[in-house]
Coordinates of all heavy atoms in Angstrom, one line a residue:
M1 N -68.6 117.6 255.1 CA -67.7 118.8 254.8 C -68.6 120.0 254.5 O -69.6 119.9 253.8 CB -66.8 118.5 253.6 CG -65.7 119.5 253.5 SD -64.8 119.3 252.0 CE -64.1 117.6 252.2
S2 N -68.4 121.1 255.1 CA -69.2 122.3 254.9 C -68.9 122.9 253.5 O -67.9 122.7 252.9 CB -68.8 123.4 256.0 OG -67.6 124.0 255.6
P3 N -69.9 123.7 253.0 CA -69.7 124.3 251.7 C -68.5 125.2 251.7 O -67.8 125.3 250.7 CB -71.0 125.2 251.5 CG -72.0 124.5 252.4 CD -71.2 123.9 253.6
N4 N -68.2 125.9 252.8 CA -67.0 126.8 252.8 C -65.7 126.0 252.7 O -64.8 126.4 252.0 CB -67.0 127.5 254.2 CG -68.0 128.7 254.2 OD1 -68.5 129.1 253.2 ND2 -68.3 129.1 255.4
E5 N -65.7 124.8 253.3 CA -64.6 123.9 253.3 C -64.4 123.4 251.9 O -63.3 123.4 251.3 CB -64.8 122.8 254.3 CG -63.5 122.2 254.8 CD -63.8 121.2 255.9 OE1 -64.9 121.3 256.5 OE2 -63.0 120.3 256.2
K6 N -65.5 123.0 251.2 CA -65.4 122.5 249.9 C -64.9 123.5 248.9 O -64.0 123.2 248.1 CB -66.8 122.0 249.4 CG -67.2 120.6 249.8 CD -68.5 120.2 249.1 CE -69.2 119.1 249.9 NZ -70.6 119.1 249.7
R7 N -65.4 124.7 249.1 CA -65.0 125.8 248.2 C -63.5 126.1 248.3 O -62.8 126.2 247.3 CB -65.8 127.1 248.5 CG -65.4 128.3 247.7 CD -66.2 129.4 248.1 NE -66.0 129.8 249.5 CZ -66.9 130.4 250.2 NH1 -68.0 130.9 249.7 NH2 -66.7 130.6 251.5
L8 N -63.0 126.1 249.6 CA -61.6 126.4 249.8 C -60.7 125.3 249.2 O -59.7 125.5 248.6 CB -61.3 126.5 251.3 CG -60.2 127.4 251.7 CD1 -60.3 128.8 251.1 CD2 -60.1 127.5 253.2
Q9 N -61.1 124.0 249.4 CA -60.4 122.9 248.8 C -60.3 122.9 247.3 O -59.3 122.6 246.7 CB -61.0 121.6 249.3 CG -60.8 121.4 250.8 CD -60.8 119.9 251.2 OE1 -61.2 119.1 250.4 NE2 -60.4 119.7 252.4
K10 N -61.4 123.3 246.7 CA -61.5 123.4 245.3 C -60.5 124.4 244.8 O -59.7 124.2 243.8 CB -62.9 123.6 244.8 CG -62.9 123.7 243.2 CD -64.3 123.9 242.7 CE -64.4 123.8 241.2 NZ -63.4 124.7 240.5
V11 N -60.5 125.6 245.4 CA -59.6 126.7 245.0 C -58.2 126.2 245.2 O -57.4 126.5 244.3 CB -59.9 127.9 245.9 CG1 -58.7 128.9 245.7 CG2 -61.2 128.6 245.5
L12 N -57.8 125.5 246.3 CA -56.5 125.1 246.4 C -56.1 124.0 245.4 O -55.0 124.1 244.9 CB -56.4 124.4 247.8 CG -56.3 125.5 249.0 CD1 -56.2 124.8 250.3 CD2 -55.1 126.4 248.8
R13 N -57.0 123.1 245.1 CA -56.7 122.2 244.0 C -56.5 122.9 242.7 O -55.5 122.6 241.9 CB -57.9 121.2 243.8 CG -57.8 119.9 244.5 CD -58.7 118.8 244.0 NE -60.0 119.3 243.6 CZ -61.1 119.3 244.5 NH1 -60.9 118.9 245.7 NH2 -62.2 119.8 244.2
D14 N -57.4 123.8 242.3 CA -57.2 124.5 241.1 C -55.9 125.3 241.0 O -55.2 125.3 240.0 CB -58.3 125.6 240.9 CG -59.7 124.9 240.6 OD1 -59.7 123.7 240.4 OD2 -60.7 125.6 240.6
E15 N -55.5 125.9 242.2 CA -54.2 126.6 242.3 C -53.1 125.7 242.1 O -52.1 126.1 241.4 CB -54.2 127.3 243.7 CG -52.9 128.0 244.0 CD -52.7 129.3 243.2 OE1 -53.6 129.8 242.5 OE2 -51.5 129.8 243.1
Q16 N -53.1 124.5 242.6 CA -52.0 123.6 242.5 C -51.9 123.2 241.0 O -50.7 123.1 240.5 CB -52.2 122.3 243.3 CG -51.9 122.5 244.8 CD -52.3 121.4 245.7 OE1 -53.0 120.5 245.2 NE2 -52.0 121.5 246.9
S17 N -53.0 122.9 240.3 CA -52.9 122.6 238.9 C -52.2 123.6 238.1 O -51.4 123.3 237.3 CB -54.3 122.3 238.3 OG -55.1 121.7 239.2
V18 N -52.6 124.9 238.2 CA -52.1 125.9 237.4 C -50.6 126.2 237.8 O -49.8 126.5 237.0 CB -52.9 127.2 237.4 CG1 -54.2 127.0 236.7 CG2 -53.1 127.8 238.8
N19 N -50.3 126.1 239.1 CA -49.0 126.3 239.6 C -48.0 125.3 238.8 O -46.9 125.7 238.4 CB -48.8 126.0 241.0 CG -48.9 127.3 241.8 OD1 -48.9 128.4 241.2 ND2 -49.0 127.2 243.1
R20 N -48.4 124.1 238.7 CA -47.6 123.1 238.1 C -47.4 123.4 236.7 O -46.3 123.2 236.1 CB -48.3 121.7 238.1 CG -47.9 120.8 239.2 CD -48.2 119.3 238.9 NE -49.7 119.2 238.6 CZ -50.6 119.0 239.5 NH1 -50.3 118.9 240.8 NH2 -51.9 118.8 239.2
L21 N -48.3 124.0 236.0 CA -48.2 124.4 234.6 C -47.6 125.8 234.4 O -47.3 126.2 233.3 CB -49.6 124.3 233.9 CG -50.3 123.0 234.0 CD1 -51.7 123.1 233.5 CD2 -49.5 122.0 233.1
G22 N -47.4 126.5 235.5 CA -46.8 127.8 235.4 C -47.8 128.9 234.8 O -47.3 129.8 234.1
I23 N -49.1 128.7 234.9 CA -50.0 129.6 234.3 C -50.5 130.6 235.4 O -50.9 130.3 236.5 CB -51.3 128.8 233.8 CG1 -50.9 127.8 232.8 CG2 -52.3 129.8 233.3 CD1 -52.1 126.9 232.4
P24 N -50.3 131.9 235.0 CA -50.8 133.0 236.0 C -52.3 133.0 236.1 O -53.0 133.0 235.0 CB -50.2 134.3 235.4 CG -49.9 134.0 234.0 CD -49.8 132.5 233.8
V25 N -52.8 133.1 237.3 CA -54.3 133.2 237.4 C -54.6 134.2 238.5 O -53.8 134.5 239.4 CB -54.9 131.8 237.8 CG1 -54.7 130.8 236.7 CG2 -54.4 131.3 239.1
K26 N -55.9 134.6 238.5 CA -56.4 135.3 239.6 C -57.8 134.6 239.9 O -58.2 133.7 239.1 CB -56.7 136.8 239.3 CG -55.3 137.5 239.2 CD -55.5 138.9 239.8 CE -54.1 139.6 239.8 NZ -54.0 140.6 240.8
Y27 N -58.4 135.0 241.0 CA -59.7 134.4 241.4 C -60.8 135.5 241.4 O -60.6 136.5 242.1 CB -59.6 133.7 242.7 CG -58.6 132.5 242.6 CD1 -57.3 132.7 242.7 CD2 -59.1 131.3 242.2 CE1 -56.4 131.6 242.5 CE2 -58.3 130.2 242.0 CZ -56.9 130.4 242.1 OH -56.1 129.3 241.9
M28 N -61.9 135.2 240.7 CA -62.9 136.2 240.7 C -64.1 135.8 241.7 O -64.5 134.6 241.7 CB -63.5 136.4 239.3 CG -64.5 137.5 239.2 SD -65.0 137.9 237.5 CE -65.9 136.4 237.1
C29 N -64.5 136.7 242.5 CA -65.6 136.5 243.4 C -66.9 136.7 242.7 O -67.2 137.6 242.0 CB -65.6 137.5 244.6 SG -64.3 137.2 245.7
L30 N -67.8 135.7 242.9 CA -69.2 135.8 242.5 C -70.0 135.9 243.7 O -70.4 134.9 244.3 CB -69.6 134.6 241.6 CG -68.7 134.5 240.3 CD1 -68.9 133.2 239.6 CD2 -68.9 135.7 239.4
S31 N -70.3 137.1 244.2 CA -70.8 137.2 245.5 C -72.1 138.0 245.6 O -72.4 138.6 246.7 CB -69.7 137.8 246.4 OG -69.2 139.0 245.8
L32 N -72.8 138.2 244.5 CA -74.1 138.9 244.6 C -75.1 138.3 245.5 O -75.9 139.0 246.1 CB -74.7 139.0 243.2 CG -74.1 140.0 242.2 CD1 -74.9 140.1 241.0 CD2 -74.1 141.4 242.9
M33 N -75.0 136.9 245.7 CA -75.9 136.2 246.5 C -75.5 136.2 248.0 O -76.2 135.7 248.9 CB -76.0 134.8 246.1 CG -76.4 134.5 244.7 SD -78.0 135.2 244.3 CE -79.0 134.0 245.1
C34 N -74.3 136.8 248.3 CA -73.7 136.7 249.6 C -73.9 138.1 250.3 O -73.4 139.0 249.8 CB -72.3 136.3 249.6 SG -71.5 136.2 251.2
E35 N -74.6 138.0 251.5 CA -74.8 139.3 252.2 C -73.4 139.9 252.8 O -73.3 141.1 252.9 CB -75.7 139.0 253.4 CG -77.1 138.8 253.0 CD -77.7 139.9 252.2 OE1 -77.5 141.1 252.6 OE2 -78.4 139.7 251.2
H36 N -72.5 139.0 253.0 CA -71.3 139.4 253.6 C -70.2 140.0 252.6 O -69.4 140.9 253.0 CB -70.6 138.2 254.4 CG -71.5 137.5 255.3 ND1 -71.9 138.0 256.5 CD2 -72.2 136.4 255.1 CE1 -72.7 137.1 257.1 NE2 -73.0 136.2 256.2
H37 N -70.3 139.6 251.4 CA -69.2 140.0 250.5 C -69.7 140.5 249.2 O -69.1 140.5 248.1 CB -68.3 138.7 250.2 CG -67.7 138.1 251.4 ND1 -68.2 136.9 251.9 CD2 -66.8 138.5 252.2 CE1 -67.4 136.5 253.0 NE2 -66.6 137.6 253.2
K38 N -70.9 141.1 249.2 CA -71.5 141.6 248.0 C -70.6 142.5 247.2 O -70.5 142.5 246.0 CB -72.8 142.3 248.3 CG -74.0 142.0 247.4 CD -75.3 142.6 248.0 CE -76.3 141.6 247.9 NZ -77.6 142.0 248.5
S39 N -69.9 143.4 248.0 CA -69.1 144.4 247.3 C -67.9 143.8 246.6 O -67.2 144.5 245.8 CB -68.6 145.4 248.4 OG -67.8 144.7 249.3
L40 N -67.6 142.5 246.8 CA -66.5 141.8 246.2 C -66.8 141.3 244.8 O -66.0 140.8 244.1 CB -65.9 140.7 247.0 CG -65.2 141.1 248.3 CD1 -64.8 139.8 249.1 CD2 -64.0 141.9 248.0
H41 N -68.1 141.3 244.5 CA -68.5 140.7 243.2 C -67.8 141.2 242.0 O -67.7 142.5 241.8 CB -70.0 140.9 243.0 CG -70.6 140.1 241.8 ND1 -70.8 138.8 241.9 CD2 -70.9 140.5 240.5 CE1 -71.3 138.4 240.7 NE2 -71.3 139.4 239.9
G42 N -67.2 140.4 241.2 CA -66.4 140.8 240.1 C -65.0 141.2 240.3 O -64.2 141.4 239.4
E43 N -64.6 141.2 241.6 CA -63.2 141.6 241.9 C -62.3 140.4 241.6 O -62.6 139.2 241.8 CB -63.1 141.9 243.4 CG -63.8 143.2 243.9 CD -63.1 144.4 243.2 OE1 -61.9 144.5 243.2 OE2 -63.9 145.3 242.8
L44 N -61.1 140.8 241.2 CA -60.1 139.7 240.9 C -59.1 139.7 242.1 O -58.5 140.7 242.5 CB -59.3 140.0 239.6 CG -60.1 139.9 238.4 CD1 -59.3 140.3 237.2 CD2 -60.7 138.5 238.2
L45 N -58.9 138.6 242.7 CA -58.1 138.4 243.9 C -56.9 137.5 243.7 O -57.0 136.6 242.9 CB -58.9 137.9 245.1 CG -60.2 138.6 245.5 CD1 -60.9 137.9 246.6 CD2 -59.9 140.0 245.9
D46 N -55.8 137.7 244.3 CA -54.7 136.8 244.4 C -55.1 135.6 245.3 O -56.0 135.8 246.2 CB -53.5 137.4 245.0 CG -52.9 138.5 244.1 OD1 -53.0 138.4 242.9 OD2 -52.4 139.5 244.7
I47 N -54.4 134.5 245.1 CA -54.7 133.4 246.0 C -54.6 133.7 247.5 O -55.4 133.3 248.3 CB -53.8 132.1 245.6 CG1 -54.2 130.9 246.4 CG2 -52.3 132.4 245.8 CD1 -55.5 130.3 246.0
S48 N -53.6 134.5 247.8 CA -53.4 134.9 249.2 C -54.6 135.7 249.8 O -55.0 135.5 250.9 CB -52.1 135.7 249.4 OG -52.1 136.9 248.6
E49 N -55.2 136.5 248.9 CA -56.4 137.3 249.4 C -57.6 136.4 249.5 O -58.3 136.5 250.5 CB -56.7 138.4 248.3 CG -55.6 139.5 248.2 CD -55.9 140.4 247.1 OE1 -55.9 140.0 245.9 OE2 -56.0 141.6 247.4
V50 N -57.7 135.4 248.6 CA -58.8 134.4 248.7 C -58.7 133.7 250.0 O -59.6 133.5 250.8 CB -58.8 133.4 247.5 CG1 -59.8 132.3 247.7 CG2 -59.1 134.2 246.2
M51 N -57.4 133.2 250.3 CA -57.2 132.5 251.5 C -57.6 133.3 252.7 O -58.0 132.7 253.8 CB -55.8 132.0 251.6 CG -55.3 131.1 250.5 SD -56.4 129.7 250.2 CE -56.0 128.7 251.7
E52 N -57.2 134.5 252.7 CA -57.5 135.4 253.9 C -59.0 135.6 254.0 O -59.5 135.6 255.1 CB -56.7 136.7 253.6 CG -56.8 137.7 254.8 CD -56.4 137.1 256.1 OE1 -55.4 136.3 256.1 OE2 -56.9 137.5 257.2
I53 N -59.7 136.0 253.0 CA -61.1 136.3 253.1 C -61.9 135.1 253.4 O -62.9 135.1 254.2 CB -61.6 137.0 251.7 CG1 -60.9 138.3 251.5 CG2 -63.1 137.2 251.8 CD1 -61.1 138.9 250.2
Y54 N -61.6 133.9 252.8 CA -62.4 132.8 252.9 C -61.9 131.7 253.8 O -62.3 130.6 253.8 CB -62.7 132.2 251.5 CG -63.5 133.2 250.7 CD1 -62.9 133.9 249.7 CD2 -64.9 133.4 250.9 CE1 -63.6 134.9 248.9 CE2 -65.6 134.3 250.1 CZ -64.9 135.0 249.2 OH -65.6 136.0 248.4
K55 N -60.9 132.1 254.6 CA -60.4 131.0 255.5 C -61.4 130.6 256.5 O -62.3 131.4 257.0 CB -59.1 131.6 256.3 CG -59.4 132.7 257.2 CD -58.1 133.1 257.9 CE -58.3 134.4 258.7 NZ -57.2 135.2 258.9
L56 N -61.4 129.3 256.9 CA -62.5 128.7 257.6 C -62.7 129.3 259.0 O -63.8 129.3 259.6 CB -62.3 127.2 257.7 CG -62.3 126.5 256.3 CD1 -62.0 125.0 256.5 CD2 -63.6 126.7 255.6
E57 N -61.6 129.8 259.6 CA -61.6 130.4 260.9 C -62.5 131.6 261.0 O -63.1 131.9 262.1 CB -60.2 130.8 261.4 CG -59.3 129.6 261.5 CD -58.7 129.2 260.2 OE1 -58.2 130.1 259.5 OE2 -58.7 128.0 259.8
S58 N -62.6 132.3 259.9 CA -63.4 133.6 260.0 C -64.5 133.8 259.0 O -65.2 134.7 259.1 CB -62.3 134.8 259.9 OG -61.7 134.7 258.7
V59 N -64.6 133.0 258.0 CA -65.6 133.2 257.0 C -67.0 132.9 257.6 O -67.1 131.9 258.3 CB -65.3 132.4 255.7 CG1 -65.6 130.9 255.9 CG2 -66.2 132.9 254.5
P60 N -68.0 133.7 257.4 CA -69.3 133.5 257.9 C -69.9 132.1 257.4 O -69.6 131.8 256.2 CB -70.2 134.6 257.5 CG -69.2 135.7 257.1 CD -67.9 135.0 256.6
E61 N -70.6 131.4 258.3 CA -71.1 130.1 257.9 C -72.0 130.2 256.7 O -72.1 129.3 255.9 CB -71.7 129.5 259.1 CG -71.6 128.0 259.1 CD -72.0 127.4 260.4 OE1 -71.4 127.7 261.4 OE2 -73.0 126.6 260.5
D62 N -72.8 131.3 256.6 CA -73.8 131.4 255.6 C -73.2 132.2 254.4 O -74.0 132.7 253.6 CB -75.1 132.0 256.1 CG -74.8 133.4 256.7 OD1 -73.7 133.8 256.9 OD2 -75.8 134.1 256.9
C63 N -71.9 132.2 254.2 CA -71.3 132.8 253.0 C -71.8 132.1 251.8 O -71.7 130.9 251.8 CB -69.8 132.8 253.2 SG -68.9 133.4 251.7
R64 N -72.2 132.8 250.8 CA -72.7 132.2 249.6 C -71.9 132.5 248.3 O -72.3 132.3 247.2 CB -74.1 132.7 249.3 CG -75.2 132.2 250.3 CD -75.5 130.8 250.1 NE -76.4 130.3 251.2 CZ -75.9 129.8 252.4 NH1 -74.6 129.7 252.6 NH2 -76.7 129.4 253.3
C65 N -70.7 133.0 248.6 CA -69.8 133.4 247.4 C -69.4 132.2 246.6 O -69.2 131.1 247.1 CB -68.5 134.0 247.9 SG -68.8 135.6 248.8
G66 N -69.3 132.4 245.3 CA -68.6 131.5 244.4 C -67.2 132.1 244.1 O -67.1 133.3 244.1
I67 N -66.3 131.2 243.8 CA -64.9 131.7 243.4 C -64.6 131.0 242.1 O -64.6 129.8 242.1 CB -63.9 131.4 244.5 CG1 -64.3 132.0 245.9 CG2 -62.6 132.0 244.1 CD1 -63.4 131.6 247.0
T68 N -64.2 131.8 241.1 CA -63.9 131.1 239.9 C -62.5 131.6 239.4 O -62.1 132.7 239.6 CB -65.0 131.4 238.8 OG1 -64.7 130.7 237.7 CG2 -65.1 132.9 238.4
Q69 N -61.8 130.6 238.9 CA -60.4 130.9 238.5 C -60.4 131.6 237.1 O -61.1 131.3 236.2 CB -59.7 129.6 238.3 CG -58.2 129.7 238.3 CD -57.5 128.3 238.2 OE1 -57.8 127.5 237.4 NE2 -56.6 128.1 239.1
I70 N -59.6 132.7 237.0 CA -59.5 133.5 235.8 C -58.1 133.4 235.3 O -57.2 133.8 236.0 CB -59.9 134.9 236.0 CG1 -61.3 135.1 236.6 CG2 -59.7 135.8 234.7 CD1 -62.4 134.8 235.6
L71 N -57.9 132.9 234.1 CA -56.5 132.9 233.5 C -56.1 134.2 233.1 O -56.8 135.0 232.5 CB -56.4 131.9 232.3 CG -56.9 130.5 232.6 CD1 -56.8 129.7 231.3 CD2 -56.1 129.9 233.7
M72 N -54.8 134.6 233.4 CA -54.2 135.9 233.0 C -53.3 135.7 231.9 O -52.7 134.7 231.8 CB -53.5 136.5 234.3 CG -54.4 136.5 235.6 SD -55.9 137.5 235.4 CE -55.2 139.1 235.7
D73 N -53.0 136.8 231.2 CA -52.0 136.8 230.1 C -50.7 137.3 230.6 O -50.6 137.6 231.8 CB -52.5 137.5 228.9 CG -52.7 139.0 229.1 OD1 -52.1 139.5 230.1 OD2 -53.4 139.6 228.3
E74 N -49.7 137.4 229.8 CA -48.3 137.8 230.2 C -48.3 139.2 230.8 O -47.5 139.5 231.6 CB -47.3 137.8 229.0 CG -47.3 136.6 228.1 CD -48.6 136.3 227.3 OE1 -49.2 137.3 226.8 OE2 -49.0 135.2 227.3
T75 N -49.2 140.0 230.3 CA -49.2 141.4 230.8 C -50.1 141.6 232.0 O -50.3 142.7 232.5 CB -49.7 142.3 229.7 OG1 -51.0 141.9 229.3 CG2 -48.8 142.2 228.4
G76 N -50.6 140.5 232.6 CA -51.4 140.6 233.8 C -52.8 141.0 233.6 O -53.5 141.5 234.5
N77 N -53.3 140.8 232.4 CA -54.7 141.0 232.1 C -55.5 139.7 231.9 O -54.9 138.8 231.5 CB -54.9 141.9 230.9 CG -54.4 143.4 231.1 OD1 -54.8 144.0 232.1 ND2 -53.5 143.8 230.3
P78 N -56.8 139.7 232.3 CA -57.5 138.5 232.1 C -57.6 138.0 230.6 O -57.7 138.9 229.7 CB -58.9 138.8 232.6 CG -58.8 140.1 233.3 CD -57.6 140.8 232.8
R79 N -57.4 136.7 230.4 CA -57.6 136.2 229.0 C -59.0 136.3 228.6 O -59.3 136.2 227.4 CB -57.1 134.8 229.0 CG -55.6 134.7 229.0 CD -55.1 133.2 228.8 NE -53.7 133.1 229.1 CZ -52.8 133.3 228.2 NH1 -53.1 133.6 227.0 NH2 -51.5 133.2 228.6
T80 N -59.9 136.3 229.5 CA -61.4 136.4 229.2 C -62.0 137.6 229.8 O -62.8 137.5 230.7 CB -62.1 135.1 229.7 OG1 -61.7 134.9 231.0 CG2 -61.7 133.9 228.9
P81 N -61.6 138.8 229.3 CA -62.1 140.0 230.0 C -63.6 140.2 230.0 O -64.1 140.8 230.9 CB -61.4 141.2 229.2 CG -60.9 140.5 227.9 CD -60.8 139.1 228.2
E82 N -64.2 139.6 229.0 CA -65.7 139.7 228.9 C -66.4 139.1 230.1 O -67.4 139.6 230.6 CB -66.2 139.2 227.6 CG -65.9 137.7 227.3 CD -64.5 137.4 226.8 OE1 -63.7 138.4 226.5 OE2 -64.1 136.3 226.7
I83 N -65.8 138.0 230.7 CA -66.4 137.4 231.9 C -66.3 138.3 233.0 O -67.3 138.5 233.8 CB -65.7 136.0 232.2 CG1 -65.9 135.0 231.0 CG2 -66.1 135.5 233.5 CD1 -65.2 133.7 231.3
V84 N -65.1 138.9 233.2 CA -64.9 139.8 234.3 C -65.8 141.1 234.2 O -66.4 141.5 235.1 CB -63.4 140.3 234.4 CG1 -63.2 141.2 235.5 CG2 -62.5 139.0 234.5
E85 N -65.9 141.6 232.9 CA -66.7 142.8 232.6 C -68.2 142.5 232.9 O -68.8 143.3 233.5 CB -66.5 143.2 231.2 CG -66.5 144.6 230.9 CD -66.3 145.5 232.1 OE1 -65.2 145.7 232.6 OE2 -67.4 146.1 232.6
K86 N -68.6 141.3 232.6 CA -70.0 140.9 232.8 C -70.3 141.0 234.3 O -71.3 141.5 234.7 CB -70.3 139.5 232.2 CG -71.7 139.2 232.1 CD -72.0 137.9 231.4 CE -73.4 137.5 231.6 NZ -73.5 136.0 231.7
A87 N -69.4 140.3 235.1 CA -69.6 140.3 236.5 C -69.7 141.7 237.1 O -70.5 142.1 237.9 CB -68.5 139.5 237.2
K88 N -68.7 142.6 236.6 CA -68.7 143.9 237.1 C -69.9 144.7 236.8 O -70.4 145.5 237.6 CB -67.4 144.6 236.6 CG -66.2 144.1 237.3 CD -65.0 145.1 237.2 CE -64.0 144.6 238.3 NZ -62.6 144.7 237.8
S89 N -70.5 144.5 235.6 CA -71.7 145.2 235.3 C -72.9 144.7 236.0 O -73.8 145.4 236.4 CB -71.9 145.1 233.7 OG -72.4 143.9 233.4
Q90 N -72.9 143.4 236.4 CA -73.9 142.9 237.3 C -73.8 143.6 238.7 O -74.8 143.9 239.3 CB -73.7 141.4 237.5 CG -74.1 140.5 236.4 CD -73.8 139.0 236.6 OE1 -72.9 138.8 237.4 NE2 -74.4 138.1 235.9
A91 N -72.6 143.7 239.1 CA -72.4 144.4 240.5 C -72.9 145.8 240.4 O -73.4 146.3 241.5 CB -70.9 144.4 240.8
R92 N -72.8 146.5 239.3 CA -73.3 147.9 239.2 C -74.8 147.9 239.1 O -75.4 148.9 239.3 CB -72.7 148.5 237.9 CG -71.2 148.9 238.1 CD -70.8 149.8 237.0 NE -70.7 149.1 235.7 CZ -69.6 148.5 235.2 NH1 -68.5 148.6 235.9 NH2 -69.6 147.9 234.0
G93 N -75.4 146.7 238.9 CA -76.8 146.6 238.8 C -77.4 147.1 237.5 O -78.5 147.6 237.5
Ligands
ZN101 ZN1 -69.4 135.5 250.9

């Protein structure tokens, strides 16, 4: 199984777990190492956006992005804003 395939499957598994529990989440890109998606580093994406960007039909084979699940609170803000902030400040260099 390719790394891209593994990544997508993990995201789908994670999504199913939180769906069952009714927990709102977004997905943060860790893409400083990826030439194709550097500008996405620290961005919070919906599952549908993740599926679109990282679908196997079109994602570059040498994509090096990591995708991590971020739990959201009732008001739609990350429960761990410091993690998101840290990624964003890395992106700013
Ligand atoms: Zn990438």
Side-chain angles (χ1 to χ4, degrees):
M1 196 189 295
S2 74
N4 285 340
E5 205 171 340
K6 275 188 203 155
R7 179 179 57 205
L8 208 55
Q9 290 204 348
K10 180 179 185 309
V11 167
L12 285 174
R13 263 200 318 272
D14 290 353
E15 174 71 14
Q16 281 170 357
S17 325
V18 291
N19 262 352
R20 262 200 306 275
L21 300 168
I23 301 171
V25 296
K26 291 218 175 203
Y27 294 86
M28 186 169 70
C29 291
L30 300 170
S31 52
L32 281 184
M33 303 299 285
C34 179
E35 288 303 316
H36 308 281
H37 303 110
K38 223 170 227 174
S39 62
L40 288 177
H41 188 76
E43 291 295 315
L44 293 178
L45 305 176
D46 294 325
I47 185 69
S48 58
E49 295 173 300
V50 172
M51 299 308 290
E52 183 56 33
I53 295 170
Y54 296 103
K55 67 181 173 203
L56 298 175
E57 297 79 52
S58 59
V59 72
E61 211 168 300
D62 59 345
C63 173
R64 294 285 172 269
C65 293
I67 304 171
T68 187
Q69 199 177 50
I70 302 287
L71 302 182
M72 308 298 278
D73 65 18
E74 313 60 46
T75 60
N77 291 306
R79 285 184 191 274
T80 49
E82 57 284 352
I83 294 178
V84 180
E85 216 15 78
K86 193 173 165 216
K88 290 204 161 135
S89 74
Q90 285 171 340
R92 286 190 292 265

